[in-house]
């Protein structure tokens, strides 16, 4: 079981990092749990520098606060949004 889980995680990482779309997942505290390389690249960081942090801890301009409301809506409804 552990080997299968590890293989699935590896496949997931390959998939999200080869897609040109910006992909991220946040927890209910709006901390990043997963980001792909494309998303990290627009911030100028690597994924490992983003995981566990919230937007306020990253080099975004102040307009990023607009997205916090969208993130909260996604968490509450469970429905993804594509922007």
């Amino acid at each position: 079981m552990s080997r299968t889980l590890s293989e699935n995680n590896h496949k997931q990482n390959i998939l999200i990092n080869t897609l040109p779309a910006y992909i991220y997942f946040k927890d209910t505290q709006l901390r990043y749990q997963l980001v792909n390389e494309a998303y990290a690249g627009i911030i100028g960081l690597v994924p490992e520098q983003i995981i566990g942090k919230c937007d306020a801890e990253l080099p975004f301009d102040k307009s990023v606060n607009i997205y916090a409301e969208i993130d909260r809506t996604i968490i509450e409804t469970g429905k993804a949004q594509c922007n």
Side-chain angles (χ1 to χ4, degrees), residues 30-65:
L30 301 181
R31 295 195 173 278
Y32 289 93
Q33 299 302 301
L34 180 127
V35 298
N36 71 346
E37 292 175 6
Y39 186 77
I42 63 168
I43 302 171
L45 301 172
V46 296
E48 295 79 15
Q49 294 173 299
I50 300 171
I51 303 301
K53 295 183 178 165
C54 63
D55 289 335
E57 299 171 288
L58 297 170
F60 287 117
D61 65 29
K62 300 294 181 195
S63 66
V64 76
N65 293 330

Side-chain angles (χ1 to χ4, degrees), residues 5-25:
L5 183 58
S6 178
E7 289 174 0
N8 286 342
N9 285 340
H10 179 70
K11 289 175 186 176
Q12 172 188 332
N13 286 334
I14 290 171
L15 176 64
I16 69 162
N17 284 314
T18 56
L19 292 173
Y22 303 135
I23 300 172
Y24 65 88
F25 296 106

Side-chain angles (χ1 to χ4, degrees), residues 24 26 30 64-77 79-83:
Y24 65 88
K26 292 182 180 180
L30 301 181
V64 76
N65 293 330
I66 295 167
Y67 295 106
E69 188 60 35
I70 295 169
D71 292 338
R72 283 188 192 90
T73 300
I74 293 168
I75 289 169
E76 290 170 6
T77 65
K79 295 181 181 177
Q81 293 186 0
C82 297
N83 296 337

